[in-house]
Amino acid sequence: MPQLQFSSVAKSYGDTQVLEPFDASVDSGEFLVLLGPSGCGKSTLLRMIAGLTEITSGELLFDGETVNEWDVRKRDIAFVFQSYALYPQMTVRQNIAFPLVMDRMKPWQHLPILGSIIRSRLMHRPEIAGEVDRIAEQLSLVPYLDRRPGALSGGQRQRVALARSLVRDPSLYLLDEPLSNLDAKLRTQMRVDITALHQKVGKTFVYVTHDQIEAMTMATRIIVMDHGRIQQIGTPDEVYDNPANTFVATFVGSPAMNLISPDIVAAHPTAFEPGIAASGAIVGVRPEHLMLADEGAPGLPVTVEVVERTGAEAIIACQPQGQEGDESRILVRASHTQRRVMGEACVLQLDPAHVSLFDAATGVRVPQTSTVG
């Protein structure tokens, strides 16, 4: 289980910088998620860890040893691809056994006809068959061992891809958006399965996704990326509760953190704590940390625009009075007992203990000890 360390690691293609230099370390056994929108550089970073893409500058270290020049085989990794990459002509058993078989074959045994015969014999060895049965049991694949991938559902094929990676018992697992081809129900189940696998094998996982729900529910640590830059590194709670900037604030969370502009704050200063009102900063607050009170109560006067009921709770979209447009809209996560109707005038109240402040020019988080009294 290597400890990963990134020392000024960067990637460029000619004059195009796709990953700005950054430093980070990942402890052995962590579940690291690389999170960001499409094109932000997260898959490139994963391929650099795997040795599939060359590092332009800086050092990648496993347990303190620089691995920039190591080939893929020496890194002892398992790579789970978005497309499953299963062999359609092989059964599930043969797909899972394939890495073990290839590890035992000598170079001269890869000749076309000879290689096929040797692979078939190796797959029936008791130690290989036993490992396949063990991992198939772990991932509930025993009933499907004699089927081919084309006869499986998307979730079953993804489990086969995981099984093929796990059977080798590598030191490091790399997963590149493995759930993006699944429907919502299967994604939820596979999140649980992969998290349970991580806890069971105790190895380091590095997982790429653009889905912040996957990141929040699975990770022990998150690296948030955008346009080739590392925006924040932290635990899910740190990233959610204390976003480093407005990008992280709005990318992580569903619904996203509300960003209330300094103009709205200046127009309604009594609705905010004196330190917040005087800061000139963007005010960030999560929807669950807002409350709606009846008209006339202290707070920010708003009008209810939309009420989306989701069962146990409702997402209420409000517009500050005197404002219009999507940018000024504020979302409130309310219990189903807080009955509000479209067009209703009410008052928005926020808890200053759950407020984040961001510099209006740079979007960078402002320490609140200097602004909140």
Side-chain angles (χ1 to χ4, degrees):
M1 294 184 293
Q3 180 193 48
L4 299 183
Q5 186 175 349
F6 305 91
S7 179
S8 299
V9 168
K11 179 63 184 176
S12 60
Y13 294 100
D15 295 332
T16 304
Q17 190 83 31
V18 296
L19 187 63
E20 299 284 347
F22 78 100
D23 299 294
S25 61
V26 183
D27 291 336
S28 297
E30 284 212 70
F31 197 124
L32 173 69
V33 171
L34 307 179
L35 174 66
S38 298
C40 71
K42 55 189 185 294
S43 290
T44 299
L45 177 54
L46 193 75
R47 293 177 62 85
M48 290 162 68
I49 297 171
L52 299 172
T53 296
E54 183 181 353
I55 296 173
T56 304
S57 61
E59 289 184 305
L60 172 64
L61 300 96
F62 289 4
D63 290 332
E65 187 171 0
T66 301
V67 301
N68 290 39
E69 305 302 323
W70 286 13
D71 63 24
V72 177
R73 196 176 191 85
K74 187 176 180 182
R75 296 184 189 212
D76 190 23
I77 61 168
F79 204 125
V80 181
F81 295 92
Q82 177 180 350
S83 60
Y84 314 139
L86 301 176
Y87 297 103
Q89 76 277 14
M90 294 184 181
T91 65
V92 169
R93 182 184 296 279
Q94 291 168 334
N95 267 282
I96 296 173
F98 192 76
L100 299 179
V101 170
M102 296 304 289
D103 284 346
R104 287 161 173 78
M105 289 183 68
K106 297 178 175 60
W108 62 269
Q109 295 176 328
H110 289 273
L111 295 171
I113 298 177
L114 181 63
S116 178
I117 296 170
I118 292 173
R119 283 196 299 271
S120 179
R121 289 180 177 176
L122 286 173
M123 282 186 183
H124 290 89
R125 281 191 177 180
E127 68 273 19
I128 291 180
E131 282 299 299
V132 172
D133 289 341
R134 178 187 62 82
I135 201 66
E137 178 71 29
Q138 188 175 350
L139 287 172
S140 303
L141 289 170
V142 173
Y144 314 110
L145 284 173
D146 295 322
R147 298 187 189 180
R148 287 185 168 80
L152 304 179
S153 68
Q156 289 162 352
R157 288 197 294 270
Q158 188 61 75
R159 289 208 301 275
V160 175
L162 284 169
R164 187 178 57 186
S165 299
L166 287 165
V167 77
R168 282 185 51 246
D169 193 29
S171 298
L172 177 64
Y173 295 86
L174 307 179
L175 301 94
D176 191 1
E177 303 211 46
L179 308 186
S180 60
N181 292 329
L182 305 181
D183 61 37
K185 183 178 179 180
L186 277 175
R187 282 201 304 272
T188 300
Q189 181 59 50
M190 287 303 299
R191 286 203 307 264
V192 175
D193 291 344
I194 293 173
T195 302
L197 273 174
H198 172 254
Q199 294 171 349
K200 189 174 294 185
V201 301
K203 302 292 182 69
T204 304
F205 280 44
V206 183
Y207 185 103
V208 163
T209 185
H210 62 272
D211 187 325
Q212 51 90 23
I213 295 177
E214 287 181 22
M216 294 298 294
T217 56
M218 300 170 74
T220 59
R221 188 183 299 268
I222 299 173
I223 295 181
V224 185
M225 305 174 64
D226 185 42
H227 289 95
R229 291 188 176 90
I230 306 302
Q231 302 293 322
Q232 187 169 0
I233 302 174
T235 66
D237 285 345
E238 289 168 347
V239 170
Y240 187 81
D241 294 333
N242 301 295
N245 52 45
T246 52
F247 171 80
V248 178
T250 54
F251 192 78
V252 176
S254 181
M257 176 177 276
N258 294 292
L259 298 180
I260 304 173
S261 74
D263 291 341
I264 294 176
V265 176
H268 304 277
T270 58
F272 303 88
E273 290 287 310
I276 295 174
S279 69
I282 297 169
V283 176
V285 59
R286 295 285 180 192
E288 62 268 26
H289 295 144
L290 292 168
M291 257 183 53
L292 288 172
D294 292 336
E295 193 174 17
L300 178 65
V302 296
T303 302
V304 174
E305 284 192 336
V306 178
V307 179
E308 293 184 346
R309 303 204 179 277
T310 60
E313 61 183 21
I315 304 299
I316 303 174
C318 304
Q319 191 67 256
Q321 291 181 11
Q323 302 289 325
E324 59 182 25
D326 293 344
E327 290 186 0
S328 56
R329 184 176 292 122
I330 299 172
L331 300 182
V332 181
R333 189 191 301 275
S335 70
H336 71 283
T337 59
Q338 295 187 35
R339 302 290 182 182
R340 299 291 171 182
V341 296
M342 292 174 56
E344 182 179 358
C346 47
V347 170
L348 194 65
Q349 298 176 329
L350 64 161
D351 182 352
H354 294 288
V355 165
S356 296
L357 300 181
F358 303 97
D359 185 276
T362 65
V364 174
R365 186 181 186 85
V366 177
Q368 288 189 226
T369 52
S370 62
T371 56
V372 182

